[in-house]
């Protein structure tokens, strides 16, 4: 089995794993941004449908922050597998 220069991962797996990491990054950051903006809008009362409470807005914001963290981990994975 071939390994990279540092001997840490298989040489053939770096390319596909880097692409998957970019996909996770883009999806995580996009979904996170949308959820954070929606959650803050609900918390501030800027959303027209008022069926959502402040607790719901806080939950949506927290999920958005978690999704953004997953996007960041995707970026770190890309940086690891591409270099």
């Amino acid at each position: 089995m071939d390994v990279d220069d540092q001997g840490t991962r298989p040489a053939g797996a770096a390319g596909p794993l880097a692409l998957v990491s970019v996909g996770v990054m883009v999806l995580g950051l996009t979904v996170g941004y949308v959820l954070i903006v929606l959650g803050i809008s609900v918390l501030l009362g800027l959303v027209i449908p008022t069926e959502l409470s402040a607790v719901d807005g806080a939950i949506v914001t927290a999920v958005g922050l978690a999704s953004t963290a997953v996007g960041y981990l995707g970026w770190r994975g890309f940086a690891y597998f591409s270099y």
Side-chain angles (χ1 to χ4, degrees), residues 28 31-45 47 52-69:
V31 171
Y33 174 77
V34 169
L35 290 176
I36 288 171
V37 170
L38 177 64
I40 290 174
S41 297
V42 169
L43 282 172
L44 297 177
V47 180
L52 298 173
S53 67
V55 174
D56 294 333
I59 292 171
V60 170
T61 304
V63 171
L65 289 172
S67 178
T68 303

Side-chain angles (χ1 to χ4, degrees), residues 2 4 14 26-27 29 31 36 44 49 56 59 64 69 74-75 80-81:
D2 293 332
D4 64 349
V26 169
L27 188 64
L29 291 178
V31 171
I36 288 171
L44 297 177
D56 294 333
I59 292 171
W75 169 254
Y80 176 75
F81 289 116

Side-chain angles (χ1 to χ4, degrees), residues 24-25 28-29 66-78:
V24 168
M25 175 193 68
L29 291 178
S67 178
T68 303
V70 169
Y72 175 73
L73 291 176
W75 169 254
R76 296 296 298 168
F78 171 72

Side-chain angles (χ1 to χ4, degrees), residues 1-31:
M1 175 169 72
D2 293 332
V3 294
D4 64 349
D5 298 352
Q6 301 156 350
T8 56
R9 59 185 176 268
L17 288 175
L19 288 177
V20 169
S21 295
V22 167
V24 168
M25 175 193 68
V26 169
L27 188 64
L29 291 178
T30 303
V31 171

